[in-house]
Amino acid sequence: MDNKAFEMAKEWYDAHGVDVNAAMDAAAKTAISMHCWQGDDVVGLEGVGGGASGGIATTGNYPGRARNGDELRADIDKAISLIPGGKKLSLHASYAELHGKKIDRDAYTAEDFSEWIDWAKDRKVGLDFNTTFFSHPYAEDGFTLSSPDKKIRDFWIEHGKRCREIGEAFGKALGQTCVINHWMPDGYKDTPEDTVAPRARMVESLDAIFGAKEISKDLVQDAVESKLFGIGVESYTVGSHELMMGYAITRGILYTLDAGHFHPTEKISDKISAILQFMPKVLLHVSRGVRWDSDHVITLDDELQAIMNQIVINGYQDRVYIGLDYFDASINRVAAWVIGVRNAQKALLRAYLRPASIRQDEYAMDYTARLAHQEAYKVAPFSAIWDEYCKRQGVPGEGEWLDCVRQYEKDVMSKR
Ligand code: RNT
Ligand code: ZN
């Protein structure tokens, strides 16, 4: 029965000139970097602090949150067992495991991530990394790298340098490039008088971080992330789009496009091909903005599909790093991971399955046919292809994975 559904669906794609098997193989080779912080509400493992700050917030109190590295890794393993396709894991500096060591973020080394490195080695998964410029006493005034206080700036500059060295160690240990995202929450709740000084200090501090050490781009790719505004940081964000994009271009590093960091009618899917005219690569934080929140679980919506279409249609697989960034504590956290990452994988596979003929309509300037075919593709029989893809990847199909999470919740998460 299953196979019959697949064969019938395949016929539709065959008739539209799409090689389904090749699409599945290509999708499986494109890695999606799963973010560790969905598992514990961005709390981290340092044993201090109560969660996210700096304009981001996780809401909800669904039971069963992972409380330590072992629980978090177990949850990640469970999620990964239910998600098809290529994967990496993205860590934040706040996921260092200090085991009672009294050191701060300006002193972390790769040793403090040894459990993560072992975990990644065992599973042959690459690690990406993020500096953590929030959830810390030195971030409480709302300014980190752009703080007027030199002591605070120096602390965070050192943190940035340490993180790049940790990323280098990840790259070496795992034989895969570590993409490091740098996001600074700096900004004002209300209207500033001086918008220049914080931006000038931010640029100077970033230069101090990136200028400190030349690291092979095979091992580390650095990216800076912009943002329009955050909760409590509504009026002025130091690291705005213009500042971060200008910085990235002039310093030869990457820029991070977060799907929730722009005006609601702006779409990052439309920014990828523009930015890639000027820089070799870009990092994505695939997320879903809802009004003022930028971090809802990603659904299979038009923008997610448009992002993946841009990557695949334009052949940008080697130029776009796909990272995810969302956090929801109001539903089962493992399910939140599985839903979001599976959606990203679905959109990726659908992009590979898109008939090239739609492009030909455009080149022939037949925009009537282009629109007709774009709409016809929306109702193509994807579901049987997706279930077959999951089967070939050894993970449950769409109607099956939730039971596995429910069982895990009963056996493991509910006992926490
Ligand atoms: C915040 C940024 C940032 C964080 C993560 C946790 O608005 O998007 O990327 O969400 O680093
Ligand atoms: Zn982000």
Side-chain angles (χ1 to χ4, degrees):
M1 169 63 199
D2 272 3
N3 252 342
K4 212 164 144 202
F6 172 66
E7 290 307 326
M8 283 171 72
K10 193 169 165 295
E11 272 174 31
W12 187 96
Y13 290 95
D14 285 345
H16 289 79
V18 177
D19 182 336
V20 168
N21 291 318
M24 289 189 189
D25 291 345
K29 284 198 197 102
T30 311
I32 291 185
S33 190
M34 179 175 153
H35 54 311
C36 78
W37 52 93
Q38 162 55 45
D40 75 332
D41 314 344
V42 209
V43 169
L45 302 172
E46 298 155 300
V48 290
S53 78
I56 58 173
T58 315
T59 50
N61 55 2
Y62 198 88
R65 185 178 73 80
R67 297 158 301 178
N68 55 52
D70 290 339
E71 290 180 355
L72 188 58
R73 280 183 288 273
D75 289 358
I76 294 170
D77 278 333
K78 178 46 73 177
I80 284 181
S81 75
L82 305 173
I83 300 167
K87 291 164 207 93
K88 282 178 96 182
L89 180 72
S90 184
L91 290 175
H92 240 288
S94 50
Y95 290 78
E97 287 167 280
L98 303 173
H99 302 293
K101 236 201 283 179
K102 292 268 172 286
I103 54 169
D104 210 335
R105 289 189 198 154
D106 59 343
Y108 290 0
T109 65
E111 218 179 89
D112 304 310
F113 295 88
S114 59
E115 282 110 319
W116 288 112
I117 296 174
D118 291 345
W119 177 92
K121 264 189 198 157
D122 274 359
R123 286 147 188 83
K124 297 189 171 51
V125 162
L127 289 178
D128 293 324
F129 203 47
N130 298 258
T131 43
T132 310
F133 290 105
F134 53 87
S135 307
H136 189 279
Y138 277 0
E140 261 165 27
D141 292 339
F143 290 87
T144 63
L145 288 180
S146 71
S147 168
D149 183 340
K150 184 169 184 310
K151 188 175 87 224
I152 290 182
R153 279 201 315 278
D154 287 348
F155 172 85
W156 289 116
I157 289 169
E158 193 55 35
H159 175 64
K161 292 182 191 171
R162 293 293 179 138
C163 285
R164 295 186 72 235
E165 287 179 11
I166 292 165
E168 184 181 26
F170 286 176
K172 280 185 185 157
L174 303 164
Q176 291 192 45
T177 309
C178 172
V179 184
I180 307 183
N181 184 53
H182 305 261
W183 170 68
M184 287 66 60
D186 301 32
Y188 284 117
K189 179 182 176 72
D190 233 324
T191 321
E193 290 292 322
D194 181 356
T195 61
V196 176
R199 289 193 169 131
R201 287 192 294 261
M202 174 66 77
V203 169
E204 206 183 296
S205 296
L206 288 172
D207 280 347
I209 293 172
F210 298 120
K213 189 177 173 187
E214 187 89 34
I215 299 177
S216 154
K217 288 203 192 311
D218 289 337
L219 297 174
V220 168
Q221 291 274 350
D222 289 289
V224 288
E225 181 178 14
S226 72
K227 189 167 181 174
L228 180 64
F229 78 95
I231 304 160
V233 197
E234 289 87 359
S235 299
Y236 169 75
T237 298
V238 179
S240 60
H241 167 65
E242 290 74 10
L243 192 85
M244 289 322 195
M245 185 159 157
Y247 187 85
I249 290 175
T250 53
R251 271 43 172 196
I253 62 169
L254 310 189
Y255 177 54
T256 305
L257 279 173
D258 184 308
H261 285 194
F262 294 87
H263 281 285
T265 61
E266 270 184 275
K267 302 288 175 213
I268 67 161
S269 53
D270 185 45
K271 298 179 189 293
I272 297 169
S273 61
I275 283 172
L276 289 182
Q277 302 300 317
F278 303 104
M279 53 177 82
K281 296 181 184 216
V282 68
L283 170 62
L284 303 185
H285 264 189
V286 182
S287 190
R288 178 166 58 101
V290 176
R291 303 190 192 279
W292 51 80
D293 179 68
S294 62
D295 298 295
H296 276 55
V297 179
I298 53 175
T299 53
L300 188 56
D301 59 13
D302 288 349
E303 173 59 358
L304 177 64
Q305 193 58 61
I307 291 169
M308 296 305 177
N309 288 353
Q310 284 297 310
I311 297 170
V312 172
I313 292 174
N314 299 323
Y316 283 152
Q317 292 87 340
D318 296 330
R319 296 182 64 191
V320 179
Y321 293 113
I322 310 170
L324 308 184
D325 181 15
Y326 61 81
F327 23 97
D328 189 340
S330 72
I331 59 175
N332 180 300
R333 293 171 184 79
V334 172
W337 254 325
V338 176
I339 292 167
V341 189
R342 280 177 70 108
N343 281 336
Q345 299 284 7
K346 269 179 223 158
L348 186 64
L349 178 59
R350 280 184 94 205
Y352 278 110
L353 289 165
R354 195 172 179 84
S357 53
I358 305 178
R359 265 199 150 181
Q360 296 312 318
D361 296 332
E362 181 168 297
Y363 295 150
M365 293 189 188
D366 188 349
Y367 306 135
T368 311
R370 179 181 65 184
L371 185 58
H373 292 144
Q374 283 170 338
E375 293 306 298
Y377 179 69
K378 283 186 185 166
V379 292
F382 175 67
S383 127
I385 307 280
W386 170 247
D387 279 335
E388 174 67 17
Y389 181 62
C390 289
K391 196 160 109 196
R392 289 187 192 180
Q393 289 274 313
V395 305
E398 204 55 23
E400 298 155 5
W401 67 262
L402 184 57
D403 285 343
C404 307
V405 174
R406 293 261 191 252
Q407 193 62 46
Y408 183 71
E409 177 169 36
K410 194 162 157 257
D411 297 343
V412 180
M413 301 177 92
S414 70
K415 309 222 161 89
R416 290 177 182 159

